[in-house]
Amino acid sequence: MPTFSLETRRRAALGLLAGLVLATVGTAAGAASPALAHDSIVSSSPENGEVVTEPIQAVSMTFSDDILTAGAAVALVTVTDVDDGHHESGCVTVDGTTVSTDVALGEAGEYTVTWQVTSSDGHPTSDTYTFTWQPSMPTATTTAMTTAPACGDDWAGSAEAMAAGSDDSTATAPAQAGATPLNELPEPTMTILNSAPVGQTDASPFSVPLLVAGLVGVVAALIAVVVVVMRRMRHS
Ligand SMILES: [Cu+2]
């Protein structure tokens, strides 16, 4: 085995240590980033800030990854006017990356879309955006509901309710009846009202301190390995 000066060995060991630390940090950062990134909206209809002049029947948004619908997954969408009146139907439809709900808009003005979905990493995520309803011609308006309608119930904005012309069914929310039989719901759908309020903060089981602690442990282990290697080099 060729002989190297102590200085050369030290430099080699330090270089090895620096390389290992950089590789470890890079790997940990790469592994951590997907868990920290929640699905975000890549497009929506209407778009954020859009001025809508033609009647629309639905509001939909497309996310960066498939929205979860299994188990306790929650997908909520409300479309509210400036007086907090509701204009969405009670059922939210999730189809892959797209989440949508039927709507019947009321008076011209600003509408707020509030959404909450279960991100592809299993965490609830939510946000809001707005659009402006500015009909280009006189358009029938729908009276808002005071609370979010329950999925499966006839809603003031439904064609049936409007045809019936029943004032009793407008401006008041239907009773929050028990769970709607699954066979009455459009497929695929996943709506759970009155749970996991919008705005709930993300509760990640993988906290940043835990990640940092793990990283420090790995680096410490690497340093120990390098020290052992250096000692062996000295003894050789
Ligand atoms: Cu998450």
Side-chain angles (χ1 to χ4, degrees), residues 67-211:
I67 296 305
L68 298 189
T69 56
V74 169
L76 297 174
V77 178
T78 62
V79 181
T80 49
D81 58 32
V82 291
D83 298 318
D84 291 330
H86 287 262
H87 292 268
E88 73 278 12
S89 85
C91 289
V92 175
T93 301
V94 177
D95 185 6
T97 59
T98 302
V99 175
S100 60
T101 185
D102 285 347
V103 295
L105 302 182
E107 302 288 334
E110 186 177 83
Y111 284 78
T112 301
V113 179
T114 303
W115 57 267
Q116 179 186 344
V117 299
T118 303
S119 201
S120 54
D121 70 355
H123 298 153
T125 180
S126 60
D127 205 351
T128 67
Y129 65 91
T130 61
F131 65 89
T132 300
W133 171 221
Q134 202 172 89
S136 57
M137 61 185 68
T139 306
T141 59
T142 305
T143 306
M145 296 181 70
T146 52
T147 60
C151 184
D153 282 351
D154 273 345
W155 173 61
S158 71
E160 295 79 11
M162 293 182 79
S166 167
D167 284 336
D168 292 339
S169 66
T170 61
T172 54
Q176 294 283 339
T180 305
L182 283 175
N183 57 12
E184 290 182 13
L185 302 182
E187 288 293 334
T189 186
M190 177 55 59
T191 303
I192 302 172
L193 297 170
N194 298 329
S195 64
V198 165
Q200 174 178 335
T201 53
D202 178 53
S204 168
F206 301 104
S207 64
V208 171
L210 198 65
L211 276 176

